[in-house]
Amino acid sequence: IGYDVEGKGFDPTVGKIKREETGADAGAELGVRSSLLTALLCCNTSLSKVRDPETGEEKWEPKGNSSEAPIVVASRKVGFSENICGEYHRVLEIPFSSSRKMMLTVTDVAGRRELCSGG
């Protein structure tokens, strides 16, 4: 199964997550929601609306690691906010290392029947 994430820049209000083969909205699918929540729990990046000082237009801007921003944007498209991370206790974080080419987080999900609504 493949998915397409539609949108424009960092704006989480534009576009949807759709099934690649049918174009059907996949934002409520358990696999999509649980994968995005799991990825979001590993992120330290947030999105906020800011006003461009030159044009006066509002735009979405990530704060934090730019490689995590697409995860946050996609998560917002299915209804998650970075605030949901406060509902889960992060037990351990090992920051990104260029020599390891990875970071690690461990989140306590004990005592939950579902990781997120619907799954």
Side-chain angles (χ1 to χ4, degrees), residues 51-68:
R51 187 166 303 281
D52 187 314
E54 294 176 17
T55 65
E57 292 181 14
E58 285 190 325
K59 64 179 184 175
W60 289 91
E61 185 175 273
K63 292 194 178 13
N65 187 320
S66 61
S67 63
E68 293 177 355

Side-chain angles (χ1 to χ4, degrees), residues 102-119:
M102 63 173 274
M103 73 175 281
L104 171 76
T105 65
V106 177
T107 303
D108 182 4
V109 295
R112 293 180 179 265
R113 292 189 54 217
E114 299 178 328
L115 184 60
C116 59
S117 64

Side-chain angles (χ1 to χ4, degrees), residues 40 42-47 62-70 72 82:
L40 184 61
C42 297
C43 292
N44 294 320
T45 297
S46 64
L47 280 179
K63 292 194 178 13
N65 187 320
S66 61
S67 63
E68 293 177 355
V72 176
E82 303 87 294

Side-chain angles (χ1 to χ4, degrees), residues 12-29:
T13 64
V14 175
K16 296 180 177 180
I17 298 178
K18 295 183 174 183
R19 279 192 168 238
E20 200 173 63
E21 61 278 356
T22 65
D25 187 348
E29 290 186 17

